Each structure stands twice: as C-alpha cells, then as structure tokens.
Amino acid sequence: PSLECSPPSTEGFPDGEGGLCSRTRPNRHLAALNGAILGLVAYGTYELTSWAIMRDWHPSMVAADMVWGATVTAISAAGGVLIARALS
C-alpha cells in the first residue's frame, strides 16, 4: 500500500520528518488478484508434485484443484479486506 503523509495534526505514525503518515485503504480487487496468484501457486505446488510422483493422479484433478485453490484463496483475500474495513 502507498503512504499518504500529512502535517503532524493527524493520526498515524511518524514519517521521520516531523509529519505523520497513514496507509491507504486496502483494495479488495488487488487482494483478490494476489490471493488468486497465491492460491494457484500453493495448490499448484501440491498438485503438480503429486501428479509427478503418484501413479493414478489424473491431469483433470490437477487442473480442477488448481482452479479451486485460486478461487477460494481469492475470495478469502477479498473477504479479509472487507472484514478489516468493517472492523476499522
């Protein structure tokens, strides 16, 4: 996230120059994209390793599980941002 700095009269954390900075609000779309990439990599690591070493691991199961991993992780990441916004 980018930082927005302002005069010392606002809340935040010190920026080292006498002012205060605050982080911009998280973007749920960016969180979903990053979550999808993370899910694809995480589930892909497991699935592709299993496919390489197990005799009856079918390629359609690899594809389905990788899509599932990307989807569920993207939804979880976006949901986490929405919950964090609601609590703050």
Side-chain angles (χ1 to χ4, degrees):
S2 61
L3 297 177
E4 294 178 1
C5 298
S6 55
S9 61
T10 61
E11 295 180 7
F13 59 92
D15 66 0
E17 298 177 4
L20 295 175
C21 295
S22 63
R23 296 200 183 274
T24 57
R25 291 179 60 162
N27 181 334
R28 67 184 162 97
H29 299 292
L30 182 59
L33 176 63
N34 288 333
I37 293 168
L38 176 64
L40 186 67
V41 170
Y43 278 71
T45 300
Y46 174 78
E47 289 297 322
L48 294 172
T49 301
S50 296
W51 187 25
I53 63 173
M54 294 186 195
R55 184 173 359 143
D56 295 328
W57 210 262
H58 199 272
S60 64
M61 187 165 43
V62 172
D65 283 349
M66 288 176 69
V67 169
W68 167 254
T71 303
V72 73
T73 310
I75 291 169
S76 298
V81 168
L82 292 175
I83 291 169
R85 283 183 181 175
L87 294 177
S88 63

